[in-house]
Amino acid sequence: LMIAILMVVSCPPVLGYATSCTLCGVVYGVFKGWFVAAIGSIIGAAVTFLLYRFLLRDFAERLLQSNKKFKAFNRTLEYDGLFLLFLIRLCPLPFSVSNAALSAISSVSFKNFILASIMASPKIFSYTFSGAELEAIGENTSASSKFIHVMYIVLNIIITLSVAYYIYQRTMKRIAELE
């Protein structure tokens, strides 16, 4: 069920990707939750890519032509390919929107899109870890134990945002260099 939900929320305009990944952590724990969320995310990304690349091609091309950043991404990805695609998949962009946007970029092959999605899937640990910690808070534990779990969540958020900011800045710098 969670894999199916993640497949659906991987396609715009549906929302709920982060919540679904966090719920995987609540239900299955950190590692099993990551596995379930990663499978659903990758299958959902693949379906979205194919849907937007082939069935909604006109919409995707209009999206690409109407935005200078997408045009720059297209040129940049022609040069840097898989590595930059991987960095973009790590960036803090809405998952469903990035799936559709990347499918509109003609220089992004299906193979590289899936490889980059698989390579970036460890970022899902952040969601499943938070979910597992929320589950631990909900159990009958002492106040000090709940405080520690809340601190783990806060620390996880700080680390995740810091890494996301760094990757975003590095990706934008690389795009600017190649333009």
Side-chain angles (χ1 to χ4, degrees):
L1 178 62
M2 287 307 302
I3 289 173
I5 289 170
L6 279 155
M7 288 171 60
V8 170
V9 298
S10 294
C11 187
V14 182
L15 302 174
Y17 176 76
T19 304
S20 300
C21 288
T22 303
L23 188 57
C24 285
V26 170
V27 174
Y28 301 109
V30 177
F31 296 104
K32 287 181 184 174
W34 169 81
F35 184 74
V36 170
I39 295 296
S41 299
I42 293 164
I43 293 171
V47 169
T48 300
F49 184 93
L50 295 172
L51 178 70
Y52 275 80
R53 179 62 62 98
F54 297 109
L55 295 179
L56 300 172
R57 181 181 209 107
D58 292 339
F59 173 75
E61 285 179 9
R62 276 194 313 255
L63 179 68
L64 179 62
Q65 297 304 321
S66 69
N67 190 311
K68 288 170 69 173
K69 286 285 185 197
F70 286 144
K71 287 180 184 178
F73 272 152
N74 192 26
R75 285 194 311 265
T76 304
L77 286 167
E78 286 174 3
Y79 179 78
D80 250 2
L82 183 59
F83 177 69
L84 188 58
L85 188 57
F86 165 67
L87 289 179
I88 291 168
R89 295 305 279 171
L90 287 175
C91 282
L93 302 168
F95 189 71
S96 63
V97 173
S98 69
N99 288 338
L102 290 171
S103 72
I105 298 173
S106 60
S107 62
V108 175
S109 71
F110 181 70
K111 179 187 89 174
N112 281 353
F113 178 79
I114 295 302
L115 281 174
S117 298
I118 291 168
M119 290 166 40
S121 69
K123 81 176 189 177
I124 297 170
F125 274 118
S126 174
Y127 298 116
T128 60
F129 176 80
S130 293
E133 290 300 308
L134 286 171
E135 168 64 19
I137 291 171
E139 294 176 358
N140 240 349
T141 57
S142 67
S144 62
S145 180
K146 287 182 182 185
F147 177 76
I148 290 170
H149 289 296
V150 168
M151 289 294 94
Y152 282 146
I153 292 171
V154 169
L155 182 62
N156 180 43
I157 290 169
I158 290 169
I159 291 169
T160 300
L161 290 176
S162 299
V163 169
Y165 179 76
Y166 171 77
I167 291 169
Y168 179 78
Q169 291 298 326
R170 186 164 174 203
T171 304
M172 292 300 114
K173 180 181 175 187
R174 183 68 178 142
I175 289 170
E177 289 172 359
L178 291 172
E179 285 180 338

